[in-house]
Amino acid sequence: MLSRGTTMEGDCLSCIKYLMFVFNFLIFLGGSFLLGVGVWVLVDPTGFREIVAANPLLFTGVYIILAMGGMLFLLGFLGCCGAIRENKCLLLFFFMLILLIFLAELAAAILAFIFREHLTREYFTKELKRHYQGYNNTDVFTSTWNAIMTTFDCCGVNSPEDFKESLFRLMNPKEMVPAACCQQTSQPGDMAYLSQEQCLSGNMMFRHNKGCYSAVVDYFELYIYVAGALAIVVLTIELFAMVFAMCLFRGIQ
């Protein structure tokens, strides 16, 4: 009976060990994915970098993603090694670090909920009216918005009407919209406009009329849902990994 019980305990421990290896391998893959996303955002030439730069919270979020991806990458590696080698020190170190990361992710989610008003149409519209200058490319805010409007073929946050009673109109009273809102005949980099004069005077036929908020959300809608689903999956995997780490830690003689 004792031998049979010992055998069953050993089989259970072996099962936990390999389950923990699988979960940690998934954490390793998740960390690799987050690192890839963070690096892509920083070097991507298609315009997402400019969108992130337009809001300090988003810009900070990119580096948070990189840091979290690096930590998950390292933790997945440590967890796999600790499980296969049945090393109690590695398992305890893994448990403490992944607990800290889990709490940090929860804190980040709470902060994102608290500061969600900084990602609304109203917030971006207010900032655009206050700070956008139109042609001052030395101003980071202005050059960023020019890049967004040119890249996504949009104008303003909601529509070209956002430039009414704005800093841009005060600085350029004869222009209804900036040149970045004007339609182009070829690639954006060529800056060949259909009719810049008609566009600047307010002719709807020669300007982009869709707001950038809708344009950007439509473009990245799929990625937003994928990122949210991935975050839920990662949190679930981390919970199971912590449980398996403690079970394996207590089972190792």
Side-chain angles (χ1 to χ4, degrees):
M1 292 292 292
L2 181 61
S3 176
R4 184 178 179 182
T6 303
T7 302
M8 290 182 63
E9 184 179 346
D11 291 341
C12 184
L13 186 63
S14 179
C15 180
I16 291 175
K17 179 174 74 173
Y18 288 111
L19 281 174
M20 183 178 172
F21 177 84
V22 171
F23 274 105
N24 278 283
F25 184 69
L26 292 175
I27 291 175
F28 177 83
L29 292 179
S32 302
F33 176 80
L34 290 178
L35 279 174
V37 169
V39 172
W40 172 71
V41 169
L42 290 178
V43 302
D44 174 56
T46 60
F48 192 43
R49 179 175 51 192
E50 285 78 11
I51 297 171
V52 171
N55 191 297
L57 288 175
L58 293 179
F59 189 73
T60 303
V62 173
Y63 288 97
I64 292 176
I65 288 175
L66 282 172
M68 298 303 293
M71 287 294 292
L72 289 176
F73 182 89
L74 176 62
L75 281 172
F77 179 77
L78 289 175
C80 288
C81 291
I84 293 299
R85 293 178 176 272
E86 297 186 7
N87 187 304
K88 297 187 75 170
C89 290
L90 279 177
L91 288 172
L92 184 60
F93 181 62
F94 164 81
F95 177 83
M96 295 302 296
L97 282 181
I98 204 167
L99 178 62
L100 289 174
I101 288 181
F102 182 80
L103 294 176
E105 289 171 341
L106 285 180
I110 293 171
L111 288 175
F113 178 78
I114 293 174
F115 292 104
R116 66 190 184 281
E117 66 271 10
H118 290 283
L119 301 177
T120 61
R121 291 175 181 268
E122 292 74 16
Y123 175 81
F124 284 114
T125 302
K126 181 175 64 176
E127 292 297 300
L128 181 72
K129 287 179 175 290
R130 286 181 177 179
H131 304 296
Y132 180 76
Q133 301 177 29
Y135 303 101
N136 183 7
N137 287 324
T138 60
D139 178 65
V140 175
F141 186 89
T142 299
S143 61
T144 297
W145 266 102
N146 284 337
I148 293 172
M149 291 189 288
T150 302
T151 301
F152 292 96
D153 295 335
C154 56
C155 186
V157 177
N158 306 287
S159 71
E161 300 300 314
D162 291 338
F163 293 103
K164 289 183 177 179
E165 301 179 358
S166 65
L167 176 62
F168 167 76
R169 289 298 303 276
L170 290 176
M171 298 178 67
N172 306 274
K174 295 182 179 180
E175 298 180 6
M176 302 296 292
V177 294
C181 289
C182 298
Q183 295 184 20
Q184 300 169 2
T185 57
S186 56
Q187 295 299 319
D190 297 336
M191 298 300 289
Y193 299 107
L194 290 176
S195 177
Q196 186 173 358
E197 183 178 352
Q198 291 285 337
C199 169
L200 298 180
S201 65
N203 192 319
M204 296 178 60
M205 298 294 295
F206 298 95
R207 74 186 186 193
H208 299 297
N209 295 294
K210 185 175 184 178
C212 291
Y213 191 96
S214 296
V216 172
V217 169
D218 291 345
Y219 186 83
F220 290 105
E221 184 176 15
L222 175 62
Y223 301 101
I224 292 171
Y225 287 122
V226 169
L230 180 65
I232 295 173
V233 170
V234 168
L235 287 172
T236 304
I237 291 173
E238 288 172 353
L239 276 174
F240 278 104
M242 285 189 288
V243 172
F244 288 142
M246 279 295 97
C247 290
L248 188 57
F249 179 86
R250 294 183 62 183
I252 295 174
Q253 301 299 324

